[in-house]
Amino acid sequence: MNYRHAFHAGNFGDVLKHIVLALVIEHLKAKETAFRVIDTHAGIGRYDLAGDEAERGDEWPDGIGRIVAAAPPADVAALIAPWLDVVRAENEGGTLLTYPGSPLIARRLMRRQDRLTAIELHPDDGAALAALFSGDRHVTVRIADGWASLKAVLPPPERRGVVLVDPAFEVAGELPRLGEALVRAWRRWPTGTFIGWYPVKGRAPVDALHAHLADSPIDKLVAVDLFVRDPESAGRLPGAGLVVVNPPWTLPDALDRLMPWLAETLAQGPGAGFRVRRLKAA
């Protein structure tokens, strides 16, 4: 209950997470049938980069701040465009003042037939999220435990869609918990796409998560890690990653094209880099 995403909004972990979320949503839009986006740890949806929390965290200048100042090659620009267009639309005039969280990014990318379920446990953040989407019939906001809510919201009536699981990682054991939750959720909805975000504080815990998922019945799985510094280094968070269950068939190759540029642009010190791991054939 102490974690507030406002301190970290727009950082390098958000950049990676939101680019991949947008790529998955754009793939879902290739078919006319409706889909559902489920965000289990949704936050408040929109963040003030000039606010006290963002200024105290001071993480966004090395995340979204670097991206908007960069000139990516054409193929990378096309990959990040769905996400970056949403960010720019939130900042008319070109000055970065606001960063959209995952539920707002999803909502901006959705079509009229699609739906969003946004779940947030923190009561103040949940109230802010509900206010943001007040009157929007395409969005359901639940003030509840995202972990516990997975059983209740799966499978969705649309039978197509993506679930983003982005917990706070405040307590020990959250990484194994993520792996177990993804397997359970996949069993309830084996055709859904699931994105699990995690911090990287050394390779060994992340490798254990990957191994657990690779040994599970899940048959389509890709992982991507971004290191802004040596992942074994102390101090500020050196890396972040995602595991994607049932990834779009286009995603692994898209990550191969994206990640060299992203790692170079967001590097903060020695040991920066990335890895894309095809854990189960897509």
Side-chain angles (χ1 to χ4, degrees):
M1 294 291 288
N2 294 321
Y3 177 86
R4 306 300 292 276
H5 191 71
F7 291 98
H8 313 286
N11 71 0
F12 71 89
D14 265 2
V15 168
L16 175 63
K17 172 176 58 184
H18 293 153
I19 290 173
V20 171
L21 175 63
L23 287 171
V24 171
I25 291 174
E26 289 300 294
H27 184 83
L28 288 167
K29 287 161 65 175
K31 294 183 179 180
E32 285 298 320
T33 52
F35 61 81
R36 174 81 58 156
V37 179
I38 299 169
D39 192 338
T40 64
H41 298 75
I44 64 174
R46 179 185 282 134
Y47 299 92
D48 180 5
L49 296 181
D52 180 62
E53 294 93 342
E55 288 192 346
R56 285 163 59 190
D58 196 33
E59 295 183 20
W60 70 264
D62 287 328
I64 183 58
R66 292 194 187 187
I67 299 297
V68 298
D75 61 336
V76 171
L79 290 171
I80 68 175
W83 157 73
L84 194 54
D85 286 349
V86 174
V87 176
R88 286 175 172 152
E90 289 289 317
N91 293 277
E92 294 183 4
T95 301
L96 271 177
L97 298 174
T98 301
Y99 187 77
S102 49
L104 188 55
I105 291 169
R107 181 66 186 97
R108 294 289 184 255
L109 294 175
M110 285 161 39
R111 306 159 304 177
R112 294 184 62 182
Q113 64 266 45
D114 306 322
R115 297 293 184 269
L116 166 65
T117 299
I119 306 165
E120 174 53 45
L121 175 61
H122 195 289
D124 293 340
D125 288 0
L129 186 67
L132 177 64
F133 293 116
S134 177
D136 189 335
R137 294 181 297 173
H138 294 77
V139 180
T140 300
V141 174
R142 297 169 60 110
I143 302 178
D145 184 333
W147 294 114
S149 295
L150 272 173
K151 183 176 181 180
V153 298
L154 296 178
E158 292 81 8
R159 301 289 172 168
R160 299 180 63 234
V162 56
V163 179
L164 174 63
V165 183
D166 175 23
F169 287 92
E170 288 186 297
V171 299
E174 290 282 69
L175 210 55
R177 186 182 190 185
L178 174 63
E180 293 163 4
L182 289 173
V183 174
R184 288 196 302 270
W186 173 83
R187 289 184 186 278
R188 293 188 64 83
W189 191 25
T191 59
T193 295
F194 299 85
I195 302 172
W197 182 92
Y198 51 83
V200 176
K201 301 176 182 178
R203 292 179 186 268
V206 173
D207 289 347
L209 170 66
H210 293 175
H212 171 75
L213 290 169
D215 288 341
S216 77
I218 293 170
D219 56 3
K220 298 176 183 177
L221 184 68
V222 65
V224 55
D225 295 326
L226 171 64
F227 314 125
V228 296
R229 294 183 304 281
D230 184 335
E232 308 298 331
S233 63
R236 277 195 168 190
L237 185 68
L242 303 167
V243 287
V244 185
V245 176
N246 291 335
W249 66 269
T250 54
L251 184 63
D253 289 343
L255 292 173
D256 287 339
R257 299 196 305 274
L258 167 70
M259 293 308 297
W261 178 84
L262 199 63
E264 181 179 4
T265 302
L266 299 180
Q268 297 180 18
F274 72 94
R275 59 180 182 174
V276 177
R277 306 184 73 186
R278 292 162 169 81
L279 299 174
K280 292 282 190 74

